[in-house]
Amino acid sequence: MNTPTDTHTSFTLAGQPAARGIAIGRAVLAPSSRMDVAHDFITPAQVPAELARLAAAREAVAARLQRLRADMPRDTPAELSAMLDVHLMMLLDEVMAAETARWVRERHYNAEWAIATQLEVLSRQFDEMEDAYLRERKADVAQVAARLLRELRGVPASPLSAPAPLQALQDGAAAALPAPAGGSEASLVLIASDLSPADMLQFKKRVFAGFATDEGSSASHTAIVARSLDIPSVVGAGQASQRIRQDDVVIIDGDAGLIHVNPGPAMLEEYRGRRQQAERQRQRLAQIASTPAVTQDGQPIELLANIEQPADTAAALAASAVGVGLLRSEFLFMGREGRLPDEEEQYAAYSAAVQGMRGLPVTIRTVDVGADKPLDARHPSPHQNPAMSLRAIRWSLSEPAMFLVQLRAILRAAAHGPVQMLIPMLAHGSEIRQTLELIARARAQLQARGQAHGPCAVGAMIEIPAAALTAPLFLRHFDFLSIGTNDLVQYTLAIDRADPAVAHLYDPLHPAVLRLIAGTIAAGRAHGKPVCVCGEMAGDAAMTALLLGLGLRSFSMHPARILAVKQQILQSDASRLAAWAQAVIASDEPAELLAQRP
């Protein structure tokens, strides 16, 4: 019998790496969660019945997700349960439900058409966002809509329900799959158009070695969960689910973002070797989890975690983080159709994060949303550049009543443990003064109320070149600085990091970027105040030696990346790296010198 590598064409697809590692196995194609939607007008007399269908579908899907949430095993990553909560929040949001029902009541659309129309409205709002993380939340709305449509169609099962090879695996019959040429690969890899957090729960219960999706990016919820589960994966691979056939032999290269389909024996052997090497490396890294992060010349290094929601504190502690360097507060604000979280809701969320870290410090970034974010139904002018418009601290200062609510909630949470406050996108001295005045006012309001609150160090994000170039000004007013390298690269090089047409120009090693980072770190040292890097560069082990050589002593990153960075720290002599690091940032071609570290 011929194997797939004998009869099927070999080819390679490129996507975005979501979770590192190598997976080799047979393809399992997940049925698409998307459905054709009937666009039918109903009569006024049919409106009550159609609204009842909508409500029943919503209740049924919510009950199903709540059962999934309740039945999750204890070892389920916090990210997954938190994302199920996000889907439940969207599903049960009264504003979203009312807007969907309005299409039925006012336009006389059938229920399916109403859901599809509201999804289109929300999708346009998400597409206009500058922030890549928030823009990817469009996928969560689409997944909730898909579940409602399946319920209305009477096929409520998960998109992962029982494709044939998957069911065979559950029945212990995975060995029935024919082995590829050059060795035995009983593992399976999942190929899908997209995966929701609920699908990922099903995914965790199966025995998949890896997965690839047509949609998504490295900032999508699917990618975040994949990293928490430590499953090699590639997202945003275009037409993977159309081009790959059931039972094709597939290599998922989560390091390079590549999918090799029906590879030849030589490539299979090479990747098997890389997979074994990666497993040995994983075992070695696990042995240093409890080892303090100290360089060979005795420099203690602070390794912090970037988290999205309070539930992520469990992953931060498991990765041996010594605190949270960035808690994004946007999760409380997004997709609420203008209904902003009140002080009590914010206080409860921030307090949960503080208590979850068991006495370790938590840095809460004030909300990074603005005119381009889905706070209401307004749309920015088509001539606006969302990256340069009313966002982050600019938006907060334009809405002082809203900002005071958040500031009071953060200060109250500080009564439960060590809290720092981080202000995004500052550039002007006037913004600094206004921000500090509002923080003082929020504290005075709490004192007048007699409400408990705690001390809170205040820091500024350095993500605009103007801020980096005037770091001494910031250090006179703030307790610490945190460099957001993702936006700093974007603004320095005038590159929209979400635009695939110019993504190849996004270069963290550009001399201008490195010199701005080096200058900010040096300014912090001169003023005796800490500087942290919380962007993607902090979690890139290839950049660790350079950042150490530049004097960085505080790194904040996704929990899954902490051990790899710690290994680099333990192998480094920071004092010997200093001269080399200066040569790198002085070079016109820093990338060439990066590999020549002492």
Side-chain angles (χ1 to χ4, degrees):
M1 180 179 67
N2 289 332
T3 64
T5 49
D6 294 325
T7 59
H8 292 179
T9 303
S10 298
F11 58 93
T12 296
L13 299 172
Q16 296 185 39
R20 297 178 179 181
I22 304 299
I24 308 174
R26 293 306 185 90
V28 172
L29 298 182
S32 172
S33 62
R34 297 188 175 185
M35 294 185 172
D36 292 331
V37 174
H39 293 69
D40 297 327
F41 285 105
I42 59 175
T43 66
Q46 293 174 312
V47 166
E50 207 66 8
L51 291 174
R53 286 185 68 221
L54 263 179
R58 183 171 168 232
E59 292 173 5
V61 173
R64 190 168 294 107
L65 290 179
Q66 287 165 343
R67 285 196 298 273
L68 275 173
R69 182 75 167 79
D71 294 341
M72 286 191 298
R74 290 183 178 179
D75 62 344
T76 299
E79 287 90 343
L80 186 47
S81 60
M83 290 172 196
L84 281 179
D85 289 342
V86 169
H87 280 207
L88 273 167
M89 179 187 72
M90 291 178 175
L91 187 67
L92 298 176
D93 184 85
E94 294 298 336
V95 175
M96 191 178 299
E99 287 298 306
T100 306
R102 185 172 62 84
W103 298 110
V104 176
R105 190 177 295 108
E106 297 180 5
R107 299 288 184 89
H108 294 171
Y109 292 173
N110 67 328
E112 290 86 350
W113 191 359
I115 290 170
T117 301
Q118 186 61 21
L119 172 61
E120 183 63 28
V121 170
L122 293 172
S123 294
R124 285 198 300 270
Q125 293 177 354
F126 277 90
D127 284 338
E128 290 166 354
M129 299 179 192
E130 183 276 334
D131 186 280
Y133 171 79
L134 291 178
R135 189 167 55 248
E136 284 300 324
R137 302 292 71 79
K138 178 178 75 170
D140 295 293
V141 180
Q143 289 156 3
V144 169
R147 286 186 171 274
L148 287 169
L149 291 171
R150 284 196 296 271
E151 184 69 35
L152 288 168
R153 288 276 296 269
V155 284
S158 164
L160 293 185
S161 56
L166 180 55
Q167 191 63 53
L169 177 63
Q170 282 191 288
D171 295 339
L177 290 172
S184 174
E185 295 296 346
S187 298
L188 301 179
V189 296
L190 185 66
I191 310 297
S193 175
D194 196 11
L195 294 171
S196 72
D199 295 334
M200 291 295 287
L201 180 57
Q202 301 296 324
F203 179 89
K204 183 179 185 297
K205 295 176 181 178
R206 322 289 188 178
V207 187
F208 288 111
F211 75 84
T213 63
D214 300 343
E215 302 178 12
S217 76
S218 58
S220 67
H221 267 170
T222 301
I224 292 168
V225 173
R227 286 192 287 271
S228 73
L229 294 173
D230 202 19
I231 299 172
S233 50
V234 173
V235 297
Q239 297 182 331
S241 65
Q242 283 77 46
R243 296 193 60 189
I244 298 173
R245 291 181 283 186
Q246 200 83 15
D247 288 348
D248 275 350
V249 177
V250 174
I251 297 172
I252 304 292
D253 186 339
D255 299 319
L258 298 175
I259 307 165
H260 301 290
V261 183
N262 297 318
M267 181 177 285
L268 273 172
E269 195 59 33
E270 175 191 348
Y271 271 95
R272 288 193 191 105
R274 288 175 56 181
R275 185 178 57 182
Q276 292 171 357
Q277 183 179 8
E279 180 56 34
R280 290 192 293 268
Q281 173 70 358
R282 193 191 317 272
Q283 293 171 0
R284 286 193 294 267
L285 287 178
Q287 296 173 4
I288 65 171
S290 59
T291 303
V294 179
T295 62
Q296 292 181 355
D297 57 329
Q299 296 283 328
I301 307 300
E302 185 179 52
L303 293 180
L304 305 166
N306 294 345
I307 66 173
E308 318 295 339
Q309 302 189 60
D312 297 345
T313 54
L317 292 174
S320 73
V322 297
V324 170
L326 175 64
L327 167 60
R328 298 178 174 93
S329 63
E330 294 87 279
F331 75 95
L332 284 169
F333 290 76
M334 65 189 206
R336 300 173 66 113
E337 295 293 318
R339 183 175 55 85
L340 300 180
D342 62 20
E343 184 176 327
E344 293 305 316
E345 181 182 354
Q346 293 191 56
Y347 164 66
Y350 305 147
S351 298
V354 173
Q355 292 166 342
M357 287 306 292
R358 304 174 188 173
L360 295 173
V362 175
T363 300
I364 302 171
R365 184 176 69 185
T366 59
V367 61
D368 188 1
V369 297
D372 62 310
K373 304 301 192 295
L375 298 176
D376 53 39
R378 293 174 297 176
H379 294 272
S381 163
H383 301 294
Q384 286 181 334
N385 181 339
M388 311 252 182
S389 65
L390 193 67
R391 56 163 293 206
I393 191 60
R394 300 172 180 177
W395 181 75
S396 295
L397 293 177
S398 74
E399 299 282 351
M402 178 283 303
F403 195 31
L404 284 167
V405 168
Q406 180 170 44
L407 295 176
R408 289 194 300 267
I410 294 173
L411 291 170
R412 289 173 61 192
H416 299 282
V419 169
Q420 298 188 138
M421 189 186 305
L422 184 58
I423 313 299
M425 207 181 171
L426 288 163
H428 299 275
S430 59
E431 293 172 332
I432 295 173
R433 289 189 294 273
Q434 291 177 64
T435 299
L436 296 179
E437 287 170 3
L438 284 169
I439 294 172
R441 189 188 306 176
R443 189 177 295 279
Q445 290 172 342
L446 293 174
Q447 290 170 345
R449 291 181 189 172
Q451 279 187 306
H453 57 286
C456 190
V458 181
M461 285 199 75
I462 303 299
E463 48 192 338
I464 297 176
L469 291 169
T470 56
L473 167 65
F474 284 74
L475 289 160
R476 288 199 295 271
H477 294 280
F478 290 100
D479 301 304
F480 67 97
L481 301 180
S482 189
I483 305 174
T485 55
N486 301 349
D487 272 337
L488 184 61
V489 175
Q490 172 172 254
Y491 289 128
T492 303
L493 302 181
I495 298 298
D496 182 354
R497 52 195 168 100
D499 184 349
V502 293
H504 64 288
L505 298 174
Y506 183 88
D507 181 13
L509 286 174
H510 190 286
V513 174
L514 293 181
R515 291 167 198 173
L516 290 173
I517 293 171
T520 303
I521 295 171
R525 290 172 68 88
H527 284 74
K529 292 184 177 180
V531 175
C532 179
V533 169
C534 64
E536 285 295 308
M537 285 176 67
D540 186 347
M543 299 292 292
T544 302
L546 177 59
L547 293 172
L548 287 172
L550 294 177
L552 187 71
R553 297 296 180 263
S554 179
F555 297 67
S556 190
M557 67 202 75
H558 190 280
R561 302 179 185 176
I562 287 178
L563 293 182
V565 171
K566 181 186 285 190
Q567 181 185 52
Q568 292 296 313
I569 290 168
L570 297 175
Q571 296 172 352
S572 297
D573 184 324
S575 60
R576 292 184 61 218
L577 292 171
W580 164 77
Q582 291 302 316
V584 171
I585 65 170
S587 170
D588 293 337
E589 298 292 341
E592 294 181 2
L593 293 180
L594 193 65
Q596 302 173 17
R597 58 166 287 184

